[in-house]
Amino acid sequence: MKHDIQLMVNGDSYSLAIDPSRTLNQVLREDLNLTGTKLGCGSGDCGACTVIVDGRSVSSCLTLAVEVDGKEILTVEGLAPSGEKLHPIQEAFIEKGAIQCGFCTPGMELSAYHLLSQNPTPSEQEIREGLSGNLCRCTGYNKIVEAISVSADRMNRKPSKRKSR
Amino acid sequence: MKRSGFDYYAPESISEAVVLLSDLGENTFVMAGGTDLLIRKRHGMIFPDAVVALKKIKGLDRISVGPKKGLVIGATALLADVAAHKGIQNKYPAISDAAKNTANVQIRNMGTVVGNLCNASPSADNAPALLALGATLSIAGPQGDRTLALEDFFLGPGLTALKPAEIVIAATVPPPPANSGAAYVHLSARGKVDCSAVCIGAHIELQGRKVNNARLFVGACAPIPMRTPRAEKTVMRKVFTEKLAEKAGAAASEEALPITDVRATQDYRNSMVAVMTKRALLLAHKRARS
Ligand SMILES: Cc1cc2nc3c(=O)[nH]c(=O)nc-3n(C[C@H](O)[C@H](O)[C@H](O)COP(=O)(O)OP(=O)(O)OC[C@H]3O[C@@H](n4cnc5c(N)ncnc54)[C@H](O)[C@@H]3O)c2cc1C
Ligand code: FES
Ligand code: FES
């Protein structure tokens, strides 16, 4: 039996009728065409599918869409809603060369977003712990850690920017 | 034919959930965070006809620390919230350490402590500390409510003492006795992310410099998280020293029954049970003294 759900994704509201066994990852990518959220392992290990649900980072491959009915979801598309002006985290990723193939990047950036929302001034160790659920096959992580550290500094200097996301 | 989909129910009360579980039949699964359940489905280990989700039940995610009731961790309380809870960090640091060392950030934002217990993995990271601290489980079911010591809960890998249609409502840890301390230490191949190769929960009570009570549990080294009574006996009524902790570690290593698997070899696990038991005792002792 299909379930009627209401999703609030990046500020837009969607009404959907979905099979309850479908994951949030499937619904985002297949029904809403929001393909910025990736599917890697499908088993909670790689973090490529990370999205923010009600302020917390989760693996969308292990989240049933029916379970997030009525909740607020942020995907990588929502980090730069205008499509032009990038989020400070994204700017820093580009600047620091923290992106190679880019497959892990949306998940990395949303994990960074979650980390900085909980801890605006993380140490290097805390950044690494904050990324414990995200794998990257290309960069060796150092550039990613640097990028997050730089974006944290900038976001703290301009707190108004952070709120407007 | 095996079906790929399932029906989904999200009852709003415990009694409704119990009725659903009794009515829907055997191939129905309780779901808290789903981080174990959905993986088992994905790997084709289970093909649920129906899932009964607990998240909509109000108040089931509560975490409370009180002087009389001790610590109560509701069935849908997230690993992340248990790890970050100030009251738990203060009074039950072994419990918050265990939750903090389970899985990764995203999984802790989804998975629960009680789900970790109900999944009954021999390496469940939250089991040893809760066992060492004498936790009990509150269970609701078609025959009414009951309380069970966590020590009587695990029957084998993936097997628990839950009867059909029973749900664990909460895990409760009694208030820590005076001059007591507990610790959780673990070891895994890749740092924080993967499941433990060895994990230890230790609890000791001191009377002066002597150990008056000890509870020691080893995870990932037997079909269930196991108690090591000979190691406990080694420290009982003795003056606590590092040497004594080491002796207890050696005893625990003799008692543990590890196997070789992807996470570690049997030999390595045996050696590490000794080392980690000693470390857990030293930390528990330090906490008991402060
Ligand atoms: C990438 C990844 C890494 C992981 N790392 C670790 C790790 O380091 N250490 C570790 O110990 N675990 C780890 N796990 C396993 C898992 O995340 C934990 O066991 C988690 O605590 C399970 O909680 P849950 O709420 O998601 O359980 P669920 O998947 O919802 O449930 C687990 C099982 O318990 C049953 N159940 C759940 N709640 C109840 C209840 N209240 N009453 C009766 N039955 C119930 C379900 O039917 C199911 O069989 C990992 C998992 C993933 C995907
Ligand atoms: S795709 Fe979800 S964690 Fe890898
Ligand atoms: S940039 Fe290729 S996986 Fe991270």
Side-chain angles (χ1 to χ4, degrees):
Chain A
M1 197 187 70
K2 293 209 169 183
H3 286 242
D4 293 324
I5 60 166
Q6 189 91 21
L7 296 187
M8 193 65 149
V9 185
N10 305 326
D12 296 326
S13 163
Y14 301 88
S15 298
L16 302 158
I18 54 141
D19 185 291
S21 64
R22 294 185 74 214
T23 64
L24 176 59
N25 189 274
Q26 290 170 319
V27 170
L28 287 171
R29 292 180 54 85
E30 294 163 13
D31 298 12
L32 306 185
N33 251 329
L34 293 169
T35 53
T37 303
K38 303 304 178 204
L39 179 68
C41 63
S43 53
D45 291 302
C46 75
C49 67
T50 305
V51 300
I52 308 283
V53 175
D54 279 357
R56 288 176 186 261
S57 59
V58 302
S59 305
S60 63
C61 72
L62 286 183
T63 301
L64 295 180
V66 56
E67 292 245 293
V68 293
D69 179 21
K71 302 206 165 155
E72 266 189 55
I73 295 149
L74 175 72
T75 70
V76 69
E77 288 89 348
L79 280 183
S82 73
E84 284 164 23
K85 178 107 195 68
L86 294 181
H87 188 280
I89 295 174
Q90 294 174 304
E91 279 174 357
F93 265 65
I94 295 172
E95 242 174 76
K96 289 285 155 195
I99 304 172
Q100 287 187 23
C101 80
F103 196 81
C104 70
T105 311
M108 286 286 179
E109 291 180 347
L110 289 168
S111 282
Y113 180 93
H114 173 69
L115 171 70
L116 298 182
S117 72
Q118 302 226 317
N119 177 1
T121 54
S123 64
E124 185 192 327
Q125 185 59 34
E126 287 168 336
I127 293 176
R128 288 185 186 275
E129 278 173 20
L131 298 180
S132 62
N134 293 78
L135 301 181
C136 175
R137 301 185 303 174
C138 308
T139 66
Y141 301 98
N142 286 343
K143 304 271 180 199
I144 295 175
V145 174
E146 257 176 62
I148 295 171
S149 164
V150 165
S151 53
D153 287 348
R154 286 192 196 146
M155 285 157 72
N156 290 329
R157 248 181 282 144
K158 295 182 213 162
S160 59
K161 203 166 183 179
R162 208 168 109 229
K163 278 206 194 94
S164 69
R165 181 164 88 199
Chain B
M1 209 190 76
K2 278 170 180 159
R3 53 184 291 189
S4 64
F6 48 73
D7 294 329
Y8 172 87
Y9 300 86
E12 290 182 14
S13 71
I14 293 162
S15 51
E16 205 188 321
V18 170
V19 170
L20 273 169
L21 284 169
S22 327
D23 290 353
L24 287 168
E26 237 177 76
N27 201 23
T28 303
F29 290 80
V30 175
M31 182 166 103
T35 63
D36 276 314
L37 191 72
L38 295 178
I39 298 258
R40 274 197 286 150
K41 175 177 182 296
R42 197 184 127 80
H43 291 171
M45 292 153 78
I46 52 168
F47 297 89
D49 289 329
V51 164
V52 175
L54 300 179
K55 281 207 184 129
K56 285 250 164 72
I57 301 176
K58 282 217 173 63
L60 208 57
D61 62 349
R62 78 184 185 287
I63 300 173
S64 64
V65 176
K68 279 226 184 80
K69 276 202 88 175
L71 166 63
V72 181
I73 301 174
T76 54
L78 297 175
L79 287 159
D81 290 339
V82 171
H85 194 280
K86 289 282 177 279
I88 300 180
Q89 289 172 354
N90 274 337
K91 281 216 121 164
Y92 304 90
I95 307 281
S96 48
D97 286 352
K100 196 173 164 220
N101 282 303
T102 307
N104 60 42
V105 179
Q106 291 91 323
I107 301 298
R108 289 197 294 275
N109 281 338
M110 308 164 75
T112 62
V113 169
V114 172
N116 188 236
L117 301 176
C118 291
N119 195 55
S121 161
S123 66
D125 268 305
N126 297 273
L130 283 163
L131 285 162
L133 282 159
T136 56
L137 300 177
S138 314
I139 296 168
Q143 260 78 55
D145 295 351
R146 63 180 177 128
T147 306
L148 186 70
L150 184 57
E151 219 180 321
D152 300 326
F153 184 65
F154 300 109
L155 302 182
L159 291 177
T160 69
L162 284 181
K163 299 193 195 109
E166 281 192 325
I167 304 173
V168 175
I169 301 307
T172 301
V173 185
N179 307 315
S180 71
Y184 168 78
V185 296
H186 80 132
L187 189 75
S188 66
R190 285 177 296 146
K192 292 182 69 78
V193 194
D194 54 339
C195 293
S196 292
V198 171
C199 52
I200 310 280
H203 166 86
I204 58 171
E205 288 168 47
L206 296 176
Q207 197 167 49
R209 290 171 59 220
K210 281 192 180 163
V211 178
N212 204 26
N213 192 10
R215 287 170 65 86
L216 293 170
F217 287 82
V218 180
C221 288
I224 59 170
M226 75 175 281
R227 194 167 182 173
T228 49
R230 266 191 285 152
E232 292 173 358
K233 230 172 155 186
T234 310
V235 296
M236 279 296 278
R237 278 172 260 294
K238 307 241 172 59
V239 173
F240 188 92
T241 59
E242 188 165 340
K243 193 97 203 129
L244 189 70
E246 199 167 316
K247 269 194 197 156
S253 172
E254 273 174 28
E255 290 175 273
L257 305 161
I259 55 166
T260 295
D261 67 9
V262 290
R263 294 189 194 113
T265 62
Q266 186 178 40
D267 279 354
Y268 184 65
R269 278 195 162 105
N270 272 325
S271 310
M272 287 308 109
V273 168
V275 174
M276 303 307 274
T277 298
K278 175 185 166 189
R279 282 188 200 164
L281 274 169
L282 289 173
L283 182 56
H285 178 253
K286 193 171 146 208
R287 285 174 174 162
R289 304 249 309 176
S290 64

PDB file of all heavy atoms in Angstrom, chain A residues 25 38-50 59-62 133, ligand 2:
ATOM      1  N   ASN A  25      16.820   8.327  -0.234  1.00  0.00           N
ATOM      2  CA  ASN A  25      17.747   8.476  -1.349  1.00  0.00           C
ATOM      3  C   ASN A  25      17.040   8.226  -2.684  1.00  0.00           C
ATOM      4  O   ASN A  25      17.190   9.004  -3.631  1.00  0.00           O
ATOM      5  CB  ASN A  25      18.917   7.495  -1.168  1.00  0.00           C
ATOM      6  CG  ASN A  25      20.030   7.745  -2.161  1.00  0.00           C
ATOM      7  OD1 ASN A  25      19.999   7.238  -3.273  1.00  0.00           O
ATOM      8  ND2 ASN A  25      20.998   8.554  -1.761  1.00  0.00           N
ATOM      9  N   LYS A  38      24.189  11.539  -3.638  1.00  0.00           N
ATOM     10  CA  LYS A  38      24.689  10.352  -4.334  1.00  0.00           C
ATOM     11  C   LYS A  38      24.282   9.072  -3.636  1.00  0.00           C
ATOM     12  O   LYS A  38      23.887   9.087  -2.469  1.00  0.00           O
ATOM     13  CB  LYS A  38      26.220  10.407  -4.452  1.00  0.00           C
ATOM     14  CG  LYS A  38      26.761  11.649  -5.147  1.00  0.00           C
ATOM     15  CD  LYS A  38      26.166  11.817  -6.533  1.00  0.00           C
ATOM     16  CE  LYS A  38      26.646  13.081  -7.222  1.00  0.00           C
ATOM     17  NZ  LYS A  38      25.704  13.527  -8.250  1.00  0.00           N
ATOM     18  N   LEU A  39      24.424   7.970  -4.366  1.00  0.00           N
ATOM     19  CA  LEU A  39      24.286   6.652  -3.768  1.00  0.00           C
ATOM     20  C   LEU A  39      25.595   5.911  -3.990  1.00  0.00           C
ATOM     21  O   LEU A  39      25.992   5.665  -5.125  1.00  0.00           O
ATOM     22  CB  LEU A  39      23.133   5.867  -4.398  1.00  0.00           C
ATOM     23  CG  LEU A  39      22.965   4.464  -3.813  1.00  0.00           C
ATOM     24  CD1 LEU A  39      22.504   4.509  -2.365  1.00  0.00           C
ATOM     25  CD2 LEU A  39      21.975   3.633  -4.633  1.00  0.00           C
ATOM     26  N   GLY A  40      26.280   5.600  -2.883  1.00  0.00           N
ATOM     27  CA  GLY A  40      27.533   4.850  -2.988  1.00  0.00           C
ATOM     28  C   GLY A  40      27.297   3.415  -2.580  1.00  0.00           C
ATOM     29  O   GLY A  40      26.814   2.597  -3.351  1.00  0.00           O
ATOM     30  N   CYS A  41      27.574   3.133  -1.307  1.00  0.00           N
ATOM     31  CA  CYS A  41      27.514   1.752  -0.822  1.00  0.00           C
ATOM     32  C   CYS A  41      26.089   1.259  -0.574  1.00  0.00           C
ATOM     33  O   CYS A  41      25.812   0.073  -0.651  1.00  0.00           O
ATOM     34  CB  CYS A  41      28.301   1.662   0.481  1.00  0.00           C
ATOM     35  SG  CYS A  41      27.574   2.674   1.783  1.00  0.00           S
ATOM     36  N   GLY A  42      25.192   2.167  -0.248  1.00  0.00           N
ATOM     37  CA  GLY A  42      23.834   1.759   0.102  1.00  0.00           C
ATOM     38  C   GLY A  42      23.737   1.057   1.441  1.00  0.00           C
ATOM     39  O   GLY A  42      22.705   0.493   1.782  1.00  0.00           O
ATOM     40  N   SER A  43      24.812   1.085   2.229  1.00  0.00           N
ATOM     41  CA  SER A  43      24.744   0.381   3.513  1.00  0.00           C
ATOM     42  C   SER A  43      25.323   1.170   4.679  1.00  0.00           C
ATOM     43  O   SER A  43      25.785   0.600   5.661  1.00  0.00           O
ATOM     44  CB  SER A  43      25.420  -0.989   3.396  1.00  0.00           C
ATOM     45  OG  SER A  43      26.718  -0.835   2.889  1.00  0.00           O
ATOM     46  N   GLY A  44      25.316   2.472   4.572  1.00  0.00           N
ATOM     47  CA  GLY A  44      25.671   3.290   5.735  1.00  0.00           C
ATOM     48  C   GLY A  44      27.151   3.531   5.936  1.00  0.00           C
ATOM     49  O   GLY A  44      27.553   4.182   6.895  1.00  0.00           O
ATOM     50  N   ASP A  45      27.987   3.025   5.040  1.00  0.00           N
ATOM     51  CA  ASP A  45      29.427   3.099   5.276  1.00  0.00           C
ATOM     52  C   ASP A  45      30.126   4.306   4.652  1.00  0.00           C
ATOM     53  O   ASP A  45      31.136   4.761   5.169  1.00  0.00           O
ATOM     54  CB  ASP A  45      30.111   1.835   4.739  1.00  0.00           C
ATOM     55  CG  ASP A  45      29.748   0.608   5.560  1.00  0.00           C
ATOM     56  OD1 ASP A  45      30.010   0.633   6.773  1.00  0.00           O
ATOM     57  OD2 ASP A  45      29.198  -0.351   4.990  1.00  0.00           O
ATOM     58  N   CYS A  46      29.622   4.816   3.517  1.00  0.00           N
ATOM     59  CA  CYS A  46      30.445   5.757   2.746  1.00  0.00           C
ATOM     60  C   CYS A  46      30.051   7.219   2.916  1.00  0.00           C
ATOM     61  O   CYS A  46      30.864   8.104   2.677  1.00  0.00           O
ATOM     62  CB  CYS A  46      30.419   5.392   1.271  1.00  0.00           C
ATOM     63  SG  CYS A  46      28.872   5.843   0.435  1.00  0.00           S
ATOM     64  N   GLY A  47      28.809   7.504   3.251  1.00  0.00           N
ATOM     65  CA  GLY A  47      28.402   8.885   3.489  1.00  0.00           C
ATOM     66  C   GLY A  47      28.091   9.696   2.242  1.00  0.00           C
ATOM     67  O   GLY A  47      27.721  10.860   2.343  1.00  0.00           O
ATOM     68  N   ALA A  48      28.193   9.094   1.038  1.00  0.00           N
ATOM     69  CA  ALA A  48      27.915   9.840  -0.197  1.00  0.00           C
ATOM     70  C   ALA A  48      26.453  10.294  -0.254  1.00  0.00           C
ATOM     71  O   ALA A  48      26.124  11.252  -0.941  1.00  0.00           O
ATOM     72  CB  ALA A  48      28.235   8.983  -1.410  1.00  0.00           C
ATOM     73  N   CYS A  49      25.601   9.605   0.498  1.00  0.00           N
ATOM     74  CA  CYS A  49      24.163   9.873   0.447  1.00  0.00           C
ATOM     75  C   CYS A  49      23.701  10.798   1.571  1.00  0.00           C
ATOM     76  O   CYS A  49      22.506  10.975   1.772  1.00  0.00           O
ATOM     77  CB  CYS A  49      23.420   8.546   0.568  1.00  0.00           C
ATOM     78  SG  CYS A  49      23.646   7.816   2.208  1.00  0.00           S
ATOM     79  N   THR A  50      24.651  11.392   2.309  1.00  0.00           N
ATOM     80  CA  THR A  50      24.300  12.185   3.493  1.00  0.00           C
ATOM     81  C   THR A  50      23.395  13.376   3.158  1.00  0.00           C
ATOM     82  O   THR A  50      23.664  14.127   2.222  1.00  0.00           O
ATOM     83  CB  THR A  50      25.580  12.721   4.173  1.00  0.00           C
ATOM     84  OG1 THR A  50      26.434  11.611   4.454  1.00  0.00           O
ATOM     85  CG2 THR A  50      25.265  13.483   5.456  1.00  0.00           C
ATOM     86  N   SER A  59      22.147   9.156   6.832  1.00  0.00           N
ATOM     87  CA  SER A  59      22.405   8.467   5.567  1.00  0.00           C
ATOM     88  C   SER A  59      21.062   8.266   4.868  1.00  0.00           C
ATOM     89  O   SER A  59      20.214   7.525   5.374  1.00  0.00           O
ATOM     90  CB  SER A  59      23.043   7.106   5.821  1.00  0.00           C
ATOM     91  OG  SER A  59      24.198   7.248   6.604  1.00  0.00           O
ATOM     92  N   SER A  60      20.882   8.895   3.714  1.00  0.00           N
ATOM     93  CA  SER A  60      19.568   8.794   3.054  1.00  0.00           C
ATOM     94  C   SER A  60      19.339   7.397   2.485  1.00  0.00           C
ATOM     95  O   SER A  60      18.211   7.010   2.235  1.00  0.00           O
ATOM     96  CB  SER A  60      19.419   9.854   1.962  1.00  0.00           C
ATOM     97  OG  SER A  60      20.369   9.659   0.932  1.00  0.00           O
ATOM     98  N   CYS A  61      20.418   6.604   2.340  1.00  0.00           N
ATOM     99  CA  CYS A  61      20.244   5.241   1.827  1.00  0.00           C
ATOM    100  C   CYS A  61      19.651   4.315   2.882  1.00  0.00           C
ATOM    101  O   CYS A  61      19.178   3.230   2.561  1.00  0.00           O
ATOM    102  CB  CYS A  61      21.571   4.685   1.332  1.00  0.00           C
ATOM    103  SG  CYS A  61      22.746   4.287   2.650  1.00  0.00           S
ATOM    104  N   LEU A  62      19.721   4.704   4.151  1.00  0.00           N
ATOM    105  CA  LEU A  62      19.180   3.874   5.237  1.00  0.00           C
ATOM    106  C   LEU A  62      17.985   4.545   5.911  1.00  0.00           C
ATOM    107  O   LEU A  62      17.599   4.169   7.011  1.00  0.00           O
ATOM    108  CB  LEU A  62      20.255   3.606   6.301  1.00  0.00           C
ATOM    109  CG  LEU A  62      21.361   2.613   5.956  1.00  0.00           C
ATOM    110  CD1 LEU A  62      22.283   2.426   7.158  1.00  0.00           C
ATOM    111  CD2 LEU A  62      20.772   1.279   5.531  1.00  0.00           C
ATOM    112  N   GLY A 133      31.972   9.357   9.072  1.00  0.00           N
ATOM    113  CA  GLY A 133      31.031   8.592   8.253  1.00  0.00           C
ATOM    114  C   GLY A 133      31.105   8.927   6.776  1.00  0.00           C
ATOM    115  O   GLY A 133      30.169   8.628   6.039  1.00  0.00           O
TER     116      GLY A 133
HETATM  117  S1  FES C   2      25.290   5.292   0.090  1.00  0.00           S
HETATM  118 FE1  FES C   2      24.509   5.734   2.013  1.00  0.00          FE
HETATM  119  S2  FES C   2      26.242   5.542   3.251  1.00  0.00           S
HETATM  120 FE2  FES C   2      27.007   4.854   1.331  1.00  0.00          FE
END
